[in-house]
Short mmCIF file of all heavy atoms in Angstrom, two decimals:
data_model
loop_
_atom_site.label_atom_id
_atom_site.label_comp_id
_atom_site.label_asym_id
_atom_site.label_seq_id
_atom_site.Cartn_x
_atom_site.Cartn_y
_atom_site.Cartn_z
N MET A 23 -1.22 -2.44 -17.22
CA MET A 23 -2.51 -2.89 -16.93
C MET A 23 -2.31 -4.34 -16.17
O MET A 23 -1.53 -5.15 -16.57
CB MET A 23 -3.29 -3.24 -18.26
CG MET A 23 -4.64 -3.75 -18.08
SD MET A 23 -5.44 -3.76 -19.69
CE MET A 23 -6.42 -5.25 -19.49
N ALA A 24 -3.06 -4.43 -15.13
CA ALA A 24 -2.93 -5.48 -14.20
C ALA A 24 -3.71 -6.72 -14.87
O ALA A 24 -4.78 -6.61 -15.42
CB ALA A 24 -3.58 -5.17 -12.90
N LEU A 25 -3.16 -7.82 -14.69
CA LEU A 25 -3.75 -9.15 -15.12
C LEU A 25 -4.59 -9.67 -13.95
O LEU A 25 -4.44 -9.30 -12.82
CB LEU A 25 -2.71 -10.10 -15.63
CG LEU A 25 -1.85 -9.75 -16.86
CD1 LEU A 25 -0.76 -10.64 -17.06
CD2 LEU A 25 -2.72 -9.47 -18.03
N GLN A 26 -5.28 -10.78 -14.35
CA GLN A 26 -5.91 -11.55 -13.11
C GLN A 26 -5.71 -12.93 -13.31
O GLN A 26 -5.43 -13.55 -14.31
CB GLN A 26 -7.50 -11.26 -13.21
CG GLN A 26 -7.95 -9.82 -13.07
CD GLN A 26 -9.38 -9.62 -12.91
OE1 GLN A 26 -10.11 -10.35 -13.56
NE2 GLN A 26 -9.79 -8.84 -12.06
N TYR A 27 -5.73 -13.60 -12.11
CA TYR A 27 -5.38 -15.05 -12.10
C TYR A 27 -6.53 -15.70 -11.28
O TYR A 27 -7.01 -15.20 -10.17
CB TYR A 27 -4.15 -15.16 -11.30
CG TYR A 27 -3.77 -16.71 -11.05
CD1 TYR A 27 -3.17 -17.53 -11.94
CD2 TYR A 27 -3.92 -17.19 -9.79
CE1 TYR A 27 -2.89 -18.85 -11.68
CE2 TYR A 27 -3.58 -18.48 -9.38
CZ TYR A 27 -3.11 -19.30 -10.39
OH TYR A 27 -2.70 -20.58 -10.06
N SER A 28 -7.05 -16.82 -11.68
CA SER A 28 -8.05 -17.56 -10.98
C SER A 28 -7.42 -18.69 -10.16
O SER A 28 -6.65 -19.55 -10.89
CB SER A 28 -9.16 -18.12 -11.98
OG SER A 28 -10.10 -18.86 -11.19
N THR A 29 -7.46 -18.72 -8.90
CA THR A 29 -6.81 -19.64 -8.08
C THR A 29 -7.30 -21.13 -8.38
O THR A 29 -8.43 -21.24 -8.67
CB THR A 29 -6.83 -19.37 -6.64
OG1 THR A 29 -8.18 -19.36 -6.21
CG2 THR A 29 -6.22 -18.06 -6.14
N ARG A 30 -6.42 -22.00 -8.07
CA ARG A 30 -6.71 -23.42 -8.02
C ARG A 30 -6.58 -23.86 -6.55
O ARG A 30 -5.91 -23.27 -5.81
CB ARG A 30 -5.80 -24.26 -8.86
CG ARG A 30 -5.85 -23.88 -10.39
CD ARG A 30 -5.00 -24.79 -11.23
NE ARG A 30 -5.02 -24.40 -12.63
CZ ARG A 30 -4.16 -23.86 -13.29
NH1 ARG A 30 -2.93 -23.55 -12.71
NH2 ARG A 30 -4.25 -23.51 -14.54
N ASP A 31 -7.40 -24.93 -6.22
CA ASP A 31 -7.47 -25.23 -4.81
C ASP A 31 -5.95 -25.64 -4.32
O ASP A 31 -5.17 -26.30 -4.89
CB ASP A 31 -8.17 -26.63 -4.63
CG ASP A 31 -8.71 -26.81 -3.27
OD1 ASP A 31 -8.97 -25.87 -2.58
OD2 ASP A 31 -8.75 -27.95 -2.94
N GLY A 32 -5.66 -24.81 -3.24
CA GLY A 32 -4.37 -25.13 -2.54
C GLY A 32 -3.31 -24.02 -2.99
O GLY A 32 -2.13 -24.20 -2.53
N ASP A 33 -3.57 -23.13 -3.91
CA ASP A 33 -2.60 -22.11 -4.38
C ASP A 33 -2.31 -21.28 -3.02
O ASP A 33 -3.08 -21.21 -2.29
CB ASP A 33 -3.18 -21.15 -5.32
CG ASP A 33 -3.10 -21.76 -6.69
OD1 ASP A 33 -2.32 -22.74 -6.94
OD2 ASP A 33 -3.63 -21.13 -7.64
N THR A 34 -1.05 -20.60 -3.10
CA THR A 34 -0.72 -19.75 -2.05
C THR A 34 -0.30 -18.40 -2.71
O THR A 34 -0.01 -18.40 -3.92
CB THR A 34 0.47 -20.26 -1.30
OG1 THR A 34 1.60 -20.37 -2.03
CG2 THR A 34 0.14 -21.60 -0.58
N ALA A 35 -0.29 -17.35 -1.97
CA ALA A 35 0.24 -16.05 -2.58
C ALA A 35 1.69 -16.10 -3.02
O ALA A 35 1.99 -15.64 -4.01
CB ALA A 35 0.05 -15.06 -1.55
N ASP A 36 2.48 -16.94 -2.22
CA ASP A 36 3.92 -17.14 -2.74
C ASP A 36 3.95 -17.86 -3.98
O ASP A 36 4.73 -17.46 -4.84
CB ASP A 36 4.63 -17.96 -1.54
CG ASP A 36 4.88 -17.15 -0.34
OD1 ASP A 36 4.52 -15.98 -0.22
OD2 ASP A 36 5.51 -17.68 0.53
N TYR A 37 3.13 -18.92 -4.18
CA TYR A 37 3.21 -19.65 -5.43
C TYR A 37 2.71 -18.85 -6.61
O TYR A 37 3.28 -18.82 -7.68
CB TYR A 37 2.23 -20.94 -5.30
CG TYR A 37 2.09 -21.63 -6.65
CD1 TYR A 37 3.10 -22.29 -7.18
CD2 TYR A 37 0.97 -21.47 -7.35
CE1 TYR A 37 2.90 -22.93 -8.40
CE2 TYR A 37 0.74 -22.09 -8.73
CZ TYR A 37 1.85 -22.88 -9.13
OH TYR A 37 1.73 -23.55 -10.30
N ILE A 38 1.65 -17.97 -6.42
CA ILE A 38 1.20 -17.11 -7.38
C ILE A 38 2.27 -16.00 -7.75
O ILE A 38 2.52 -15.83 -8.96
CB ILE A 38 -0.13 -16.46 -6.99
CG1 ILE A 38 -1.27 -17.48 -6.84
CG2 ILE A 38 -0.53 -15.25 -7.95
CD1 ILE A 38 -2.42 -16.94 -6.18
N ALA A 39 2.96 -15.60 -6.74
CA ALA A 39 4.05 -14.66 -7.02
C ALA A 39 5.16 -15.34 -7.87
O ALA A 39 5.69 -14.67 -8.85
CB ALA A 39 4.68 -14.00 -5.79
N TRP A 40 5.54 -16.51 -7.53
CA TRP A 40 6.54 -17.24 -8.17
C TRP A 40 6.15 -17.53 -9.65
O TRP A 40 6.93 -17.21 -10.51
CB TRP A 40 6.77 -18.54 -7.53
CG TRP A 40 7.81 -19.43 -8.21
CD1 TRP A 40 7.59 -20.47 -8.91
CD2 TRP A 40 9.17 -19.22 -8.29
NE1 TRP A 40 8.68 -21.02 -9.44
CE2 TRP A 40 9.80 -20.20 -9.14
CE3 TRP A 40 10.09 -18.26 -7.82
CZ2 TRP A 40 11.06 -20.26 -9.37
CZ3 TRP A 40 11.48 -18.35 -7.99
CH2 TRP A 40 11.80 -19.21 -8.92
N LYS A 41 4.97 -17.97 -9.82
CA LYS A 41 4.36 -18.29 -11.08
C LYS A 41 4.31 -17.11 -12.03
O LYS A 41 4.70 -17.20 -13.24
CB LYS A 41 3.09 -18.96 -10.97
CG LYS A 41 2.51 -19.40 -12.33
CD LYS A 41 1.17 -20.31 -12.08
CE LYS A 41 0.70 -20.83 -13.45
NZ LYS A 41 -0.26 -21.76 -13.26
N HIS A 42 3.88 -15.95 -11.48
CA HIS A 42 3.76 -14.80 -12.36
C HIS A 42 4.92 -13.87 -12.43
O HIS A 42 5.25 -13.46 -13.57
CB HIS A 42 2.49 -13.94 -11.90
CG HIS A 42 2.29 -12.81 -12.88
ND1 HIS A 42 1.65 -13.02 -14.15
CD2 HIS A 42 2.39 -11.56 -12.79
CE1 HIS A 42 1.45 -11.83 -14.64
NE2 HIS A 42 1.96 -10.90 -13.87
N TYR A 43 5.57 -13.63 -11.29
CA TYR A 43 6.73 -12.78 -11.28
C TYR A 43 8.15 -13.43 -11.26
O TYR A 43 9.07 -12.74 -11.51
CB TYR A 43 6.61 -11.81 -10.07
CG TYR A 43 5.21 -11.03 -10.08
CD1 TYR A 43 4.33 -11.36 -9.00
CD2 TYR A 43 5.04 -9.97 -10.85
CE1 TYR A 43 3.20 -10.78 -8.96
CE2 TYR A 43 3.84 -9.31 -10.77
CZ TYR A 43 2.88 -9.70 -10.02
OH TYR A 43 1.73 -8.94 -9.83
N GLY A 44 8.08 -14.69 -10.99
CA GLY A 44 9.36 -15.43 -10.95
C GLY A 44 10.11 -15.27 -9.64
O GLY A 44 11.33 -15.57 -9.65
N THR A 45 9.46 -14.79 -8.68
CA THR A 45 10.15 -14.56 -7.33
C THR A 45 9.11 -14.71 -6.23
O THR A 45 8.00 -14.47 -6.41
CB THR A 45 10.81 -13.20 -7.32
OG1 THR A 45 11.52 -13.04 -6.02
CG2 THR A 45 9.85 -12.03 -7.44
N THR A 46 9.69 -15.01 -5.02
CA THR A 46 8.75 -15.06 -3.90
C THR A 46 9.33 -13.88 -2.78
O THR A 46 9.06 -14.12 -1.60
CB THR A 46 8.73 -16.39 -3.21
OG1 THR A 46 10.06 -16.84 -2.78
CG2 THR A 46 8.06 -17.35 -3.99
N GLU A 47 10.04 -12.96 -3.35
CA GLU A 47 10.59 -11.95 -2.42
C GLU A 47 9.41 -11.37 -1.68
O GLU A 47 8.35 -11.12 -2.14
CB GLU A 47 11.32 -10.82 -3.23
CG GLU A 47 12.67 -11.17 -3.66
CD GLU A 47 13.45 -10.01 -4.21
OE1 GLU A 47 13.37 -8.95 -3.61
OE2 GLU A 47 14.05 -10.21 -5.32
N ARG A 48 9.75 -11.06 -0.47
CA ARG A 48 8.74 -10.45 0.47
C ARG A 48 8.01 -9.24 -0.08
O ARG A 48 6.78 -8.99 0.03
CB ARG A 48 9.39 -10.15 1.90
CG ARG A 48 8.47 -9.58 2.87
CD ARG A 48 9.20 -9.19 4.17
NE ARG A 48 10.40 -8.56 4.05
CZ ARG A 48 10.48 -7.24 4.18
NH1 ARG A 48 9.43 -6.43 4.41
NH2 ARG A 48 11.63 -6.68 3.99
N LEU A 49 8.83 -8.30 -0.66
CA LEU A 49 8.30 -7.03 -1.21
C LEU A 49 7.24 -7.33 -2.28
O LEU A 49 6.13 -6.81 -2.30
CB LEU A 49 9.41 -6.23 -1.81
CG LEU A 49 9.12 -4.89 -2.49
CD1 LEU A 49 8.56 -3.98 -1.46
CD2 LEU A 49 10.28 -4.30 -3.15
N VAL A 50 7.53 -8.34 -3.12
CA VAL A 50 6.66 -8.81 -4.26
C VAL A 50 5.29 -9.40 -3.62
O VAL A 50 4.23 -8.91 -3.99
CB VAL A 50 7.37 -9.65 -5.16
CG1 VAL A 50 6.29 -10.20 -6.21
CG2 VAL A 50 8.39 -8.95 -5.93
N VAL A 51 5.42 -10.24 -2.71
CA VAL A 51 4.21 -10.87 -2.13
C VAL A 51 3.42 -9.86 -1.46
O VAL A 51 2.15 -9.87 -1.47
CB VAL A 51 4.72 -12.06 -1.26
CG1 VAL A 51 3.54 -12.66 -0.51
CG2 VAL A 51 5.40 -13.16 -2.07
N GLU A 52 4.03 -9.02 -0.69
CA GLU A 52 3.32 -7.86 0.07
C GLU A 52 2.57 -7.06 -0.92
O GLU A 52 1.51 -6.64 -0.64
CB GLU A 52 4.36 -7.01 0.92
CG GLU A 52 4.83 -7.83 2.14
CD GLU A 52 5.76 -6.90 2.90
OE1 GLU A 52 6.21 -5.82 2.44
OE2 GLU A 52 6.22 -7.38 3.97
N GLN A 53 3.15 -6.69 -2.01
CA GLN A 53 2.43 -5.91 -3.11
C GLN A 53 1.27 -6.61 -3.69
O GLN A 53 0.25 -6.04 -3.86
CB GLN A 53 3.45 -5.38 -4.13
CG GLN A 53 4.33 -4.34 -3.63
CD GLN A 53 5.26 -3.84 -4.76
OE1 GLN A 53 4.80 -3.50 -5.76
NE2 GLN A 53 6.55 -3.86 -4.48
N LEU A 54 1.49 -7.91 -3.90
CA LEU A 54 0.36 -8.78 -4.32
C LEU A 54 -0.82 -8.75 -3.33
O LEU A 54 -1.90 -8.64 -3.62
CB LEU A 54 0.82 -10.15 -4.63
CG LEU A 54 -0.19 -11.28 -5.12
CD1 LEU A 54 -0.70 -10.82 -6.43
CD2 LEU A 54 0.41 -12.64 -5.01
N LEU A 55 -0.46 -8.89 -2.07
CA LEU A 55 -1.53 -9.07 -1.08
C LEU A 55 -2.16 -7.61 -0.85
O LEU A 55 -3.38 -7.53 -0.73
CB LEU A 55 -0.94 -9.47 0.28
CG LEU A 55 -0.47 -11.00 0.32
CD1 LEU A 55 0.30 -11.30 1.62
CD2 LEU A 55 -1.65 -11.76 0.12
N ASP A 56 -1.44 -6.50 -1.02
CA ASP A 56 -1.95 -5.15 -0.89
C ASP A 56 -2.93 -4.91 -2.04
O ASP A 56 -3.91 -4.17 -1.76
CB ASP A 56 -0.82 -4.10 -0.85
CG ASP A 56 0.01 -4.00 0.40
OD1 ASP A 56 -0.53 -4.67 1.41
OD2 ASP A 56 1.02 -3.46 0.37
N ALA A 57 -2.71 -5.48 -3.23
CA ALA A 57 -3.58 -5.27 -4.32
C ALA A 57 -4.88 -6.08 -4.27
O ALA A 57 -5.77 -5.80 -5.00
CB ALA A 57 -2.74 -5.54 -5.56
N ASN A 58 -4.91 -7.04 -3.36
CA ASN A 58 -6.01 -8.00 -3.13
C ASN A 58 -6.43 -7.94 -1.68
O ASN A 58 -6.17 -8.92 -1.01
CB ASN A 58 -5.63 -9.40 -3.76
CG ASN A 58 -5.36 -9.39 -5.15
OD1 ASN A 58 -6.17 -9.60 -5.95
ND2 ASN A 58 -4.08 -9.26 -5.44
N LYS A 59 -7.05 -6.94 -1.27
CA LYS A 59 -7.58 -6.85 0.10
C LYS A 59 -8.47 -8.03 0.41
O LYS A 59 -9.30 -8.38 -0.43
CB LYS A 59 -8.43 -5.59 0.31
CG LYS A 59 -7.61 -4.37 -0.06
CD LYS A 59 -6.31 -4.23 0.77
CE LYS A 59 -5.59 -2.83 0.57
NZ LYS A 59 -4.25 -2.76 1.02
N GLY A 60 -8.13 -8.62 1.54
CA GLY A 60 -8.86 -9.87 2.07
C GLY A 60 -8.30 -11.07 1.66
O GLY A 60 -8.72 -12.10 2.19
N LEU A 61 -7.44 -11.13 0.74
CA LEU A 61 -6.70 -12.35 0.21
C LEU A 61 -5.96 -13.04 1.45
O LEU A 61 -6.04 -14.20 1.62
CB LEU A 61 -5.73 -12.09 -0.89
CG LEU A 61 -5.22 -13.29 -1.57
CD1 LEU A 61 -6.36 -14.12 -2.28
CD2 LEU A 61 -4.22 -12.91 -2.61
N ALA A 62 -5.24 -12.33 2.19
CA ALA A 62 -4.45 -12.86 3.41
C ALA A 62 -5.36 -13.48 4.37
O ALA A 62 -5.08 -14.31 5.18
CB ALA A 62 -3.53 -11.84 3.96
N ASP A 63 -6.56 -12.90 4.59
CA ASP A 63 -7.51 -13.40 5.51
C ASP A 63 -8.10 -14.70 5.20
O ASP A 63 -8.73 -15.40 6.09
CB ASP A 63 -8.73 -12.38 5.60
CG ASP A 63 -8.40 -10.98 6.09
OD1 ASP A 63 -7.24 -10.82 6.90
OD2 ASP A 63 -9.02 -10.04 5.86
N MET A 64 -7.82 -15.14 3.99
CA MET A 64 -8.33 -16.47 3.48
C MET A 64 -7.33 -17.63 4.09
O MET A 64 -7.78 -18.80 3.93
CB MET A 64 -8.51 -16.53 2.07
CG MET A 64 -9.48 -15.64 1.46
SD MET A 64 -9.67 -15.97 -0.26
CE MET A 64 -10.89 -14.72 -0.73
N GLY A 65 -6.21 -17.15 4.49
CA GLY A 65 -5.42 -18.22 5.15
C GLY A 65 -4.32 -18.57 3.98
O GLY A 65 -4.33 -17.95 2.94
N PRO A 66 -3.30 -19.33 4.39
CA PRO A 66 -2.26 -19.55 3.46
C PRO A 66 -2.60 -20.36 2.30
O PRO A 66 -2.01 -20.17 1.21
CB PRO A 66 -1.11 -20.37 4.36
CG PRO A 66 -1.98 -20.94 5.52
CD PRO A 66 -3.14 -20.00 5.68
N LEU A 67 -3.48 -21.39 2.37
CA LEU A 67 -3.94 -22.20 1.24
C LEU A 67 -5.21 -21.53 0.71
O LEU A 67 -6.22 -21.63 1.45
CB LEU A 67 -4.14 -23.59 1.59
CG LEU A 67 -2.80 -24.36 1.96
CD1 LEU A 67 -3.27 -25.73 2.40
CD2 LEU A 67 -1.78 -24.29 0.98
N LEU A 68 -5.30 -21.02 -0.59
CA LEU A 68 -6.39 -20.34 -1.02
C LEU A 68 -7.42 -21.26 -1.71
O LEU A 68 -6.98 -22.33 -2.27
CB LEU A 68 -5.97 -19.38 -2.20
CG LEU A 68 -4.99 -18.31 -1.64
CD1 LEU A 68 -4.46 -17.42 -2.71
CD2 LEU A 68 -5.70 -17.37 -0.64
N PRO A 69 -8.64 -21.04 -1.65
CA PRO A 69 -9.60 -21.98 -2.31
C PRO A 69 -9.58 -21.80 -3.73
O PRO A 69 -9.18 -20.65 -4.24
CB PRO A 69 -10.94 -21.57 -1.66
CG PRO A 69 -10.72 -20.18 -1.26
CD PRO A 69 -9.36 -20.13 -0.88
N ALA A 70 -10.14 -22.67 -4.50
CA ALA A 70 -10.17 -22.56 -5.99
C ALA A 70 -11.28 -21.52 -6.38
O ALA A 70 -12.20 -21.26 -5.63
CB ALA A 70 -10.71 -23.81 -6.57
N GLY A 71 -10.89 -20.78 -7.48
CA GLY A 71 -11.89 -19.90 -8.04
C GLY A 71 -11.85 -18.40 -7.55
O GLY A 71 -12.62 -17.48 -7.92
N VAL A 72 -10.72 -18.18 -6.66
CA VAL A 72 -10.60 -16.72 -6.18
C VAL A 72 -9.98 -15.91 -7.30
O VAL A 72 -8.90 -16.40 -7.76
CB VAL A 72 -9.75 -16.61 -4.78
CG1 VAL A 72 -9.55 -15.22 -4.44
CG2 VAL A 72 -10.56 -17.50 -3.72
N ILE A 73 -10.45 -14.81 -7.62
CA ILE A 73 -9.81 -13.95 -8.66
C ILE A 73 -8.87 -13.05 -7.95
O ILE A 73 -9.22 -12.32 -7.17
CB ILE A 73 -10.92 -13.16 -9.46
CG1 ILE A 73 -11.93 -14.10 -10.19
CG2 ILE A 73 -10.22 -12.17 -10.48
CD1 ILE A 73 -11.36 -15.05 -11.15
N VAL A 74 -7.55 -13.24 -8.31
CA VAL A 74 -6.49 -12.44 -7.81
C VAL A 74 -5.89 -11.35 -8.86
O VAL A 74 -5.60 -11.79 -10.04
CB VAL A 74 -5.29 -13.40 -7.40
CG1 VAL A 74 -4.16 -12.52 -6.91
CG2 VAL A 74 -5.84 -14.43 -6.41
N THR A 75 -5.96 -10.15 -8.57
CA THR A 75 -5.36 -9.24 -9.39
C THR A 75 -3.92 -9.21 -9.34
O THR A 75 -3.29 -9.18 -8.21
CB THR A 75 -5.93 -7.75 -8.96
OG1 THR A 75 -7.26 -7.75 -9.14
CG2 THR A 75 -5.30 -6.71 -9.95
N LEU A 76 -3.20 -9.30 -10.42
CA LEU A 76 -1.70 -9.43 -10.53
C LEU A 76 -1.24 -7.95 -10.93
O LEU A 76 -1.19 -7.62 -12.00
CB LEU A 76 -1.24 -10.37 -11.50
CG LEU A 76 -1.80 -11.82 -11.39
CD1 LEU A 76 -1.46 -12.64 -12.52
CD2 LEU A 76 -1.12 -12.35 -10.20
N PRO A 77 -0.89 -7.17 -10.01
CA PRO A 77 -0.41 -5.69 -10.20
C PRO A 77 0.88 -5.68 -10.94
O PRO A 77 1.68 -6.71 -10.86
CB PRO A 77 -0.27 -5.18 -8.83
CG PRO A 77 0.04 -6.22 -7.94
CD PRO A 77 -0.77 -7.44 -8.51
N ASP A 78 1.12 -4.53 -11.62
CA ASP A 78 2.44 -4.32 -12.23
C ASP A 78 3.38 -4.14 -11.13
O ASP A 78 3.21 -3.18 -10.36
CB ASP A 78 2.33 -3.14 -13.28
CG ASP A 78 1.35 -3.47 -14.25
OD1 ASP A 78 1.25 -4.56 -14.84
OD2 ASP A 78 0.67 -2.52 -14.81
N ILE A 79 4.40 -5.02 -11.07
CA ILE A 79 5.37 -4.83 -9.96
C ILE A 79 6.81 -4.86 -10.82
O ILE A 79 7.10 -5.68 -11.57
CB ILE A 79 5.41 -5.95 -9.05
CG1 ILE A 79 4.07 -5.94 -8.28
CG2 ILE A 79 6.45 -5.97 -8.08
CD1 ILE A 79 3.69 -7.04 -7.40
N ASP A 80 7.65 -3.96 -10.27
CA ASP A 80 9.07 -3.95 -10.75
C ASP A 80 9.89 -4.99 -9.93
O ASP A 80 10.22 -4.62 -8.85
CB ASP A 80 9.63 -2.46 -10.70
CG ASP A 80 11.02 -2.40 -11.25
OD1 ASP A 80 11.56 -3.43 -11.85
OD2 ASP A 80 11.72 -1.48 -11.05
N THR A 81 10.06 -6.02 -10.47
CA THR A 81 10.78 -7.11 -9.76
C THR A 81 12.26 -6.97 -9.81
O THR A 81 13.00 -7.80 -9.25
CB THR A 81 10.45 -8.53 -10.28
OG1 THR A 81 10.78 -8.56 -11.59
CG2 THR A 81 8.95 -8.83 -10.05
N THR A 82 12.80 -5.95 -10.56
CA THR A 82 14.23 -5.67 -10.59
C THR A 82 14.70 -4.89 -9.24
O THR A 82 15.90 -4.89 -8.94
CB THR A 82 14.68 -4.75 -11.76
OG1 THR A 82 13.92 -3.61 -11.82
CG2 THR A 82 14.32 -5.71 -13.02
N GLU A 83 13.68 -4.18 -8.58
CA GLU A 83 14.04 -3.55 -7.39
C GLU A 83 14.11 -4.53 -6.25
O GLU A 83 13.30 -5.30 -6.03
CB GLU A 83 12.72 -2.61 -7.07
CG GLU A 83 13.04 -1.74 -5.71
CD GLU A 83 11.81 -0.83 -5.49
OE1 GLU A 83 11.21 -0.39 -6.48
OE2 GLU A 83 11.49 -0.72 -4.28
N LYS A 84 15.27 -4.43 -5.48
CA LYS A 84 15.55 -5.37 -4.42
C LYS A 84 15.09 -4.77 -3.16
O LYS A 84 15.29 -3.50 -2.79
CB LYS A 84 17.10 -5.59 -4.29
CG LYS A 84 17.58 -6.36 -5.43
CD LYS A 84 17.15 -7.81 -5.38
CE LYS A 84 17.79 -8.62 -6.41
NZ LYS A 84 17.34 -10.09 -6.43
N ALA A 85 14.41 -5.63 -2.30
CA ALA A 85 14.09 -5.12 -0.94
C ALA A 85 15.32 -4.95 -0.07
O ALA A 85 16.22 -5.51 -0.21
CB ALA A 85 13.16 -6.21 -0.37
N THR A 86 15.20 -3.96 0.76
CA THR A 86 16.31 -3.69 1.75
C THR A 86 15.86 -4.28 3.09
O THR A 86 14.71 -4.47 3.47
CB THR A 86 16.56 -2.14 1.98
OG1 THR A 86 15.35 -1.57 2.41
CG2 THR A 86 16.97 -1.62 0.62
N GLY A 87 16.81 -4.68 3.97
CA GLY A 87 16.57 -5.22 5.19
C GLY A 87 17.23 -6.57 5.25
O GLY A 87 18.07 -6.99 4.40
N VAL A 88 16.99 -7.36 6.35
CA VAL A 88 17.53 -8.57 6.64
C VAL A 88 16.80 -9.68 5.88
O VAL A 88 15.46 -9.73 5.88
CB VAL A 88 17.65 -8.90 8.13
CG1 VAL A 88 18.11 -10.15 8.41
CG2 VAL A 88 18.33 -7.87 8.86
N THR A 89 17.45 -10.57 5.22
CA THR A 89 16.81 -11.74 4.58
C THR A 89 17.57 -12.97 4.99
O THR A 89 18.77 -12.89 5.19
CB THR A 89 16.87 -11.65 3.13
OG1 THR A 89 18.26 -11.58 2.63
CG2 THR A 89 16.05 -10.61 2.50
N LEU A 90 16.83 -13.99 5.33
CA LEU A 90 17.52 -15.31 5.77
C LEU A 90 18.03 -16.13 4.60
O LEU A 90 18.98 -16.84 4.72
CB LEU A 90 16.49 -16.06 6.68
CG LEU A 90 15.94 -15.29 7.88
CD1 LEU A 90 15.02 -16.17 8.61
CD2 LEU A 90 17.15 -14.99 8.87
N TRP A 91 17.26 -16.08 3.51
CA TRP A 91 17.69 -16.86 2.30
C TRP A 91 17.65 -16.03 1.23
O TRP A 91 17.02 -15.02 1.06
CB TRP A 91 16.61 -17.97 2.13
CG TRP A 91 16.50 -18.97 3.26
CD1 TRP A 91 17.33 -20.01 3.52
CD2 TRP A 91 15.62 -18.80 4.39
NE1 TRP A 91 16.86 -20.64 4.70
CE2 TRP A 91 15.94 -19.87 5.22
CE3 TRP A 91 14.51 -17.98 4.63
CZ2 TRP A 91 15.01 -20.19 6.43
CZ3 TRP A 91 13.68 -18.29 5.72
CH2 TRP A 91 13.98 -19.24 6.63
N THR A 92 18.66 -16.33 0.27
CA THR A 92 18.74 -15.49 -0.98
C THR A 92 18.40 -16.37 -2.17
O THR A 92 18.41 -17.46 -2.11
CB THR A 92 20.06 -14.87 -1.15
OG1 THR A 92 21.07 -15.98 -1.17
CG2 THR A 92 20.37 -13.91 -0.10
#
């Protein structure tokens, strides 16, 4: 069951992923954005009070491809 998070002024999708999933891996952030249509359109800094659905994501699965930082 997916949880929900109410943003605070200045939250970012990366921060929400870090806070809830413990990672900012691209795959996790993309799934978070996919579950919340229109969230990316709000810009990098989210306003307070936006309800974000936190989908069930398997964070043990590693993304494939090139990464600059580990």
